[in-house]
Amino acid sequence: MKRARGGGDEEAPRQNGSAGRRKGDQQQSDGDDGDSTFGPADLQDDDNDPGLRREIRSKYRDLINSVQQNREDMLSPSNNKLTEVLEQANKLFKDVRQAREAALDAQLLVVATDLGKEKASQLFAEGTAFDPTAFAEHLLSFMGLNRLEDGEDEQNGVDGYLPQDAWHRVARRAECCFRTAPSFHYMMGSFHAEPPPPKQRIERQRKAPSKEAKRIMPTQLKKMEESHQEATEKEVERILGYLKSYYQDDPTSPISYYEFVIDPTSFSRTVENIFHTSFLIRDGLARMYLDNAKLPCIAPVEEGEVEAGGSCTRKQCIISISPKTWKELIDAFDIRDTMIHPPNTE
């Protein structure tokens, strides 16, 4: 089916080509009778001329075949056939109007690029015999080296064998290889302006704080500290009340430390409970011990056992808790409700 459709496509351009040629002949005969005019319609006929399109594609295929067949000859450094092929391709590209022609042009460019790359690699391989000593001799000669005056230069204390403007010669020769910005010139001539005199810095006298400021600031900070301290003390007393009430309900049953301080619904509240409970241990209002399962328990200290200043030896430590550990403790102890309710729920 594809071959039959392709045959139909080949036959249709032939009919269009003959019709186009007949139309061109008719226009040429009409032009001989009167003044000929060349308009956009004629350009459109040239773009749609199947004969011209086939000719361009045929030339592209010929160029591709010539490059592939003469590949070994074109790799020779003295052969310029590749340059001629590229010039012919540039001329053909001016008449490219369809996608098939552009695809052939791209195919030719790929083949020529691969060939040029291989040719360049051969040139680089031949250039590996670069002699740095010979290059240095040529460079020194260009810079004006005079070997006959070597002895005199050494006696006079001249540094080196080259004249003073040797490197300037190399710079003037190399500046043509770089694009430099044009030098700046004044349109109305140059002028030398004197720098402005430095301004004298006037040191400002610092204002001494007034007595009122000295008196107000410590008062404000003191009030802030007192408010935080009072809130902490109230929360510690509230937690101590919870601990005593749970202990009085069943004095023989130990109170688990984790079940007492952990709030299963809030990690932040758990941290606050641990913080406030630590004040009970520090002030001797509560004590911690290990039960038979080596788990920490907490219990209030009787009023008669509390000693001001704490003559007994106390041990303190820093504990850390993360959300992951908090969840693991909730699952391990099967904690469903908090024993220390938040202040706003009471």
Side-chain angles (χ1 to χ4, degrees), residues 53-67:
R53 300 298 103 197
R54 285 196 299 271
E55 182 181 357
I56 293 175
R57 291 196 294 270
S58 177
K59 290 181 179 180
Y60 267 116
R61 293 189 181 95
D62 294 340
L63 288 177
I64 294 173
N65 293 332
S66 65
V67 173

Side-chain angles (χ1 to χ4, degrees), residues 278-324:
S278 65
F279 287 97
L280 298 177
I281 307 299
R282 185 199 66 177
D283 297 337
L285 300 175
R287 62 187 180 87
M288 291 183 63
Y289 62 94
L290 299 178
D291 59 0
N292 297 331
K294 301 298 180 180
L295 294 176
C297 297
I298 188 170
V301 177
E302 300 296 337
E303 296 181 357
E305 298 177 0
V306 179
E307 298 180 1
S311 59
C312 59
T313 304
R314 296 177 186 152
K315 297 181 180 180
Q316 296 180 353
C317 63
I318 299 175
I319 62 173
S320 63
I321 186 170
S322 63
K324 181 180 179 182

Side-chain angles (χ1 to χ4, degrees), residues 10 12 55 72 74 80 82 84 89 94 96-97 135 137 174 192 214 234 266 269 278 280 287 299 319-320:
E10 289 296 326
E55 182 181 357
E72 299 298 331
M74 290 184 179
N80 295 328
L82 181 60
E84 297 175 0
K94 296 179 182 179
V96 171
R97 297 292 184 274
F135 175 76
E137 290 294 335
H192 299 282
K214 291 182 179 179
K234 290 181 180 179
S266 175
R269 284 290 308 163
S278 65
L280 298 177
R287 62 187 180 87
I319 62 173
S320 63

Side-chain angles (χ1 to χ4, degrees), residues 207-218:
K207 294 182 179 180
S210 61
K211 295 181 179 180
E212 185 178 359
K214 291 182 179 179
R215 183 176 59 82
I216 291 176
M217 290 301 295

Side-chain angles (χ1 to χ4, degrees), residues 181-206:
S183 59
F184 181 77
H185 297 282
Y186 294 98
M187 296 179 63
M188 302 299 293
S190 61
F191 63 95
H192 299 282
E194 296 181 357
K199 295 182 179 180
Q200 295 181 356
R201 296 181 61 182
I202 300 176
E203 296 183 358
R204 297 181 180 179
Q205 296 180 356
R206 297 181 179 179

Side-chain angles (χ1 to χ4, degrees), residues 67-346:
V67 173
Q68 293 176 348
Q69 292 175 2
N70 301 325
R71 184 180 183 87
E72 299 298 331
D73 296 338
M74 290 184 179
L75 288 176
S76 176
S78 60
N79 194 328
N80 295 328
K81 183 66 177 177
L82 181 60
T83 305
E84 297 175 0
V85 170
L86 293 176
E87 291 177 355
Q88 293 179 11
N90 291 335
K91 293 178 181 179
L92 289 176
F93 187 74
K94 296 179 182 179
D95 297 329
V96 171
R97 297 292 184 274
Q98 297 181 358
R100 294 176 61 187
E101 302 160 5
L104 288 173
D105 181 78
Q107 183 179 356
L108 175 61
L109 183 60
V110 170
V111 175
T113 303
D114 294 339
L115 185 62
K117 180 181 179 181
E118 187 174 354
K119 189 173 182 179
S121 63
Q122 291 183 0
L123 292 175
F124 181 75
E126 294 177 358
T128 53
F130 173 73
D131 189 1
T133 305
F135 175 76
E137 290 294 335
H138 289 298
L139 182 61
L140 292 173
S141 301
F142 177 78
M143 296 171 69
L145 176 65
N146 190 357
R147 297 187 180 277
L148 298 178
E149 299 180 359
D150 291 347
E152 297 178 0
D153 293 341
E154 293 179 356
Q155 293 177 0
N156 297 332
V158 178
D159 186 12
Y161 306 98
L162 300 175
Q164 295 181 356
D165 61 340
W167 290 106
H168 293 281
R169 296 182 185 179
V170 179
R172 286 192 297 268
R173 180 63 181 86
E175 66 182 359
C176 61
C177 302
F178 301 93
R179 292 183 179 181
T180 57
S183 59
F184 181 77
H185 297 282
Y186 294 98
M187 296 179 63
M188 302 299 293
S190 61
F191 63 95
H192 299 282
E194 296 181 357
K199 295 182 179 180
Q200 295 181 356
R201 296 181 61 182
I202 300 176
E203 296 183 358
R204 297 181 180 179
Q205 296 180 356
R206 297 181 179 179
K207 294 182 179 180
S210 61
K211 295 181 179 180
E212 185 178 359
K214 291 182 179 179
R215 183 176 59 82
I216 291 176
M217 290 301 295
T219 304
Q220 291 178 349
L221 294 177
K222 186 175 181 181
K223 288 182 178 180
M224 186 181 301
E225 292 176 358
E226 289 177 355
S227 62
H228 285 288
Q229 185 176 1
E230 290 176 359
T232 303
E233 291 177 356
K234 290 181 180 179
E235 185 65 18
V236 171
E237 293 177 359
R238 192 177 69 88
I239 293 176
L240 179 60
Y242 275 110
L243 181 62
K244 288 182 178 180
S245 63
Y246 291 133
Y247 182 77
Q248 291 174 1
D249 292 343
D250 190 1
T252 60
S253 178
I255 302 173
S256 174
Y257 172 76
Y258 293 119
E259 294 180 2
F260 181 71
V261 298
I262 289 179
D263 188 345
T265 60
S266 175
F267 174 74
S268 59
R269 284 290 308 163
T270 301
V271 175
E272 292 178 2
N273 293 340
I274 294 174
F275 171 72
H276 292 121
T277 306
S278 65
F279 287 97
L280 298 177
I281 307 299
R282 185 199 66 177
D283 297 337
L285 300 175
R287 62 187 180 87
M288 291 183 63
Y289 62 94
L290 299 178
D291 59 0
N292 297 331
K294 301 298 180 180
L295 294 176
C297 297
I298 188 170
V301 177
E302 300 296 337
E303 296 181 357
E305 298 177 0
V306 179
E307 298 180 1
S311 59
C312 59
T313 304
R314 296 177 186 152
K315 297 181 180 180
Q316 296 180 353
C317 63
I318 299 175
I319 62 173
S320 63
I321 186 170
S322 63
K324 181 180 179 182
T325 307
W326 172 65
K327 293 180 181 179
E328 292 176 352
L329 290 173
I330 293 174
D331 296 337
F333 289 91
D334 194 16
I335 301 174
R336 294 291 177 263
D337 297 325
T338 179
M339 298 181 66
I340 305 174
H341 299 283
N344 52 3
T345 59
E346 295 178 356

